[in-house]
Amino acid sequence: MEIQKLNKEIRDNYLERMKTRPPERLSTSWYQDDLLYRGSGKSLFVIVPTPGCSWALGDSGGCTMCSYISDCTLEPIDDELIIQLFKKELDRHIDDIKADGKTMPIAIKIFVSGSFLNLQEISKEVRYEILETISKIDEIKEVIVESRPEYVKKENIEEIFSIIGDRLFEVSIGLESQNDFIREEKINKGFSKEDFEKAVNIIAKIDNDEDNNYKAKSKAYIFIKPILTSEKEAIDEAIQTSYYAESVGVSRVSFCPATIHKGTIIERFWRKGSYQPPWIWSVIKIINEARKNLNIPSFMDTSGFGSRRGPYNCKKCNKDLKHAIIDSNIKQSIIDDYECQCKNEWLAEINSKNFNKSKTKIKHLPLI
């Protein structure tokens, strides 16, 4: 596909210029308030250094909006070092976890800038040691990882439960869009809705199996505003994707508004003036509609809000609305109406953006 050819070219050029960092500088963690399956609690977020996402480093060039491989070593890492760095990050917060765990549930979210269930990125030995370490901390009640759907296998999930015991285990999958054309041609995701549904069904069957006590859950990431998508289209597609995700059985959805990552197609469009991240008004419209109509929890990521490369309204309301969204994620509440002059500009854009749109059906994207 044309998009993969351009994607690979941009990715390779970026990787040639990118300064790689040692694993010790790539591991990081933070601890914050969060809404867990058990209710309001705390989550420890841990980034574990890996060689990088196999999809991004392959011939396809990866997803058009993502450059998380810049947080990877791009070369093999000794298993013992990965385990050591994970334990180091965990130890930074263990006192808080022990104290908070007396009164509230604690979750750990492990990010590897790729797929935790892909043995090419995280070896079986490393996966075991990480989960074994977690299993010894009684206060941690939920374990969340990310993976592409092709790595979700019944035997993988059951093996993980054999280590973590009765803790809840969630796999977060980047569905991004329920629209096949958008997901394949604009995002270059590299998997079908059938692949996604198969993974969700595997997790659901394990969760519903009366022969075990496993608590297996799935979450869908939904991307807001891919390339060559108007503001109105981005709003409608994100909302429709959340409905689809619930209909196929995911436990939660998390919306991810576009931010401009370096070394991506989306950055090239942005630099040429052909792309702008979504308005924060659009983000609020999406999350409010989701909260009104979904029966599952919905979350809105606020990374990059108010920055030059992220979702933006104006300097008067960016900060207030970001905090309102963060608060609503915990409470699962509707965000109250907020007035600002820039709202009229947003309304004008979404009401008029498609007036001159061609009615010709798109068959491919002439990107080159």
Side-chain angles (χ1 to χ4, degrees):
M1 293 191 296
E2 289 182 79
I3 193 168
Q4 292 190 350
K5 184 178 177 182
L6 179 59
N7 216 27
K8 184 77 164 84
E9 173 192 318
I10 293 173
R11 183 80 67 193
D12 288 347
N13 288 339
Y14 174 67
L15 293 179
E16 286 178 7
R17 303 190 312 271
M18 191 181 88
K19 293 182 179 179
T20 57
R21 292 173 289 168
E24 293 83 355
R25 293 186 58 193
L26 294 172
S27 65
T28 189
S29 59
W30 62 96
Y31 184 65
Q32 65 181 45
D33 294 333
D34 201 359
L35 180 64
L36 281 58
Y37 283 90
R38 291 169 176 252
S40 296
K42 297 268 192 176
S43 284
L44 172 62
F45 297 73
V46 181
I47 295 180
V48 179
T50 68
C53 173
S54 297
W55 178 246
L57 295 174
D59 293 337
S60 72
C63 303
T64 57
M65 71 291 193
C66 177
S67 68
Y68 284 128
I69 55 171
S70 60
D71 294 324
C72 299
T73 61
L74 306 182
E75 58 185 23
I77 313 173
D78 182 73
D79 282 356
E80 288 300 321
L81 179 56
I82 298 177
I83 295 166
Q84 175 188 332
L85 292 173
F86 170 78
K87 291 181 177 179
K88 177 184 176 183
E89 296 299 333
L90 181 59
D91 287 345
R92 289 178 53 202
H93 306 278
I94 195 64
D95 290 342
D96 289 334
I97 290 172
K98 292 287 186 181
D100 292 337
K102 296 175 182 177
T103 58
M104 65 180 71
I106 308 294
I108 185 168
K109 300 185 178 184
I110 307 166
F111 299 97
V112 299
S113 301
S115 296
F116 185 81
L117 301 180
N118 180 5
L119 294 180
Q120 292 183 342
E121 299 174 40
I122 288 285
S123 73
K124 196 170 185 178
E125 292 72 24
V126 170
R127 190 167 73 194
Y128 176 85
E129 286 294 331
I130 287 175
L131 296 173
E132 175 72 8
T133 300
I134 292 169
S135 72
K136 296 175 181 177
I137 304 172
D138 293 337
E139 290 78 9
I140 295 179
K141 304 299 184 183
E142 301 179 12
V143 181
I144 294 90
V145 303
E146 298 177 331
S147 179
R148 287 176 60 85
E150 59 263 38
Y151 305 118
V152 177
K153 309 291 183 184
K154 182 174 182 286
E155 55 271 23
N156 287 350
I157 307 300
E158 290 181 339
E159 180 183 338
I160 286 170
F161 276 111
S162 72
I163 305 169
I164 66 171
D166 61 357
R167 289 166 179 78
L168 181 144
F169 182 69
E170 179 193 86
V171 181
S172 303
I173 305 171
L175 167 65
E176 317 303 2
S177 173
Q178 57 85 35
N179 183 289
D180 290 331
F181 183 80
I182 291 174
R183 192 178 56 262
E184 294 168 12
E185 299 284 349
K186 295 185 179 183
I187 299 177
N188 190 39
K189 201 67 195 182
F191 63 75
S192 65
K193 281 195 290 190
E194 289 73 23
D195 296 327
F196 175 76
E197 291 171 15
K198 181 180 178 181
V200 171
N201 287 336
I202 288 171
I203 295 167
K205 284 181 180 179
I206 293 174
D207 186 56
N208 296 324
D209 190 341
E210 294 180 356
D211 293 333
N212 65 57
N213 294 318
Y214 300 155
K215 298 185 252 332
K217 307 296 180 182
S218 61
K219 179 171 68 184
Y221 288 128
I222 299 172
F223 185 62
I224 299 177
K225 201 174 180 184
I227 56 171
L228 303 174
T229 304
S230 73
E231 199 76 14
K232 179 66 165 58
E233 289 171 332
I235 294 170
D236 293 343
E237 180 56 30
I239 293 169
Q240 289 303 313
T241 299
S242 71
Y243 298 162
Y244 161 77
E246 181 182 45
S247 73
V248 300
V250 303
S251 307
R252 304 194 290 188
V253 296
S254 181
F255 295 98
C256 303
T259 55
I260 307 300
H261 289 202
K262 293 182 178 180
T264 60
I265 284 182
I266 207 169
E267 185 191 41
R268 179 171 290 191
F269 275 59
W270 175 70
R271 287 189 178 281
K272 291 181 178 293
S274 301
Y275 180 86
Q276 192 63 28
W279 287 78
I280 297 177
W281 295 121
S282 297
V283 167
I284 291 174
K285 171 72 172 175
I286 291 166
I287 197 62
N288 278 348
E289 288 299 313
R291 298 254 168 84
K292 290 174 185 175
N293 296 294
L294 295 180
N295 295 312
I296 57 175
S298 55
F299 301 87
M300 182 64 69
D301 183 19
T302 57
S303 300
F305 270 43
S307 71
R308 181 167 167 262
R309 287 175 172 257
Y312 193 93
N313 277 357
C314 74
K315 291 182 179 179
K316 291 182 179 179
C317 66
N318 284 334
K319 189 174 181 180
D320 287 347
L321 293 176
K322 177 179 179 177
H323 289 307
I325 294 169
I326 292 172
D327 184 60
S328 79
N329 282 336
I330 302 293
K331 298 177 180 176
Q332 288 296 290
S333 57
I334 301 297
I335 298 166
D336 293 335
D337 195 27
Y338 185 102
E339 293 303 323
C340 187
Q341 266 189 322
C342 68
K343 193 172 187 178
N344 290 328
E345 187 179 346
W346 167 73
L347 286 169
E349 179 172 347
I350 63 170
N351 289 332
S352 64
K353 197 71 173 182
N354 292 332
F355 279 1
N356 296 323
K357 185 177 179 181
S358 171
K359 301 298 183 183
T360 302
K361 186 176 180 180
I362 299 173
K363 296 181 179 179
H364 71 288
L365 298 180
L367 295 172
I368 301 176

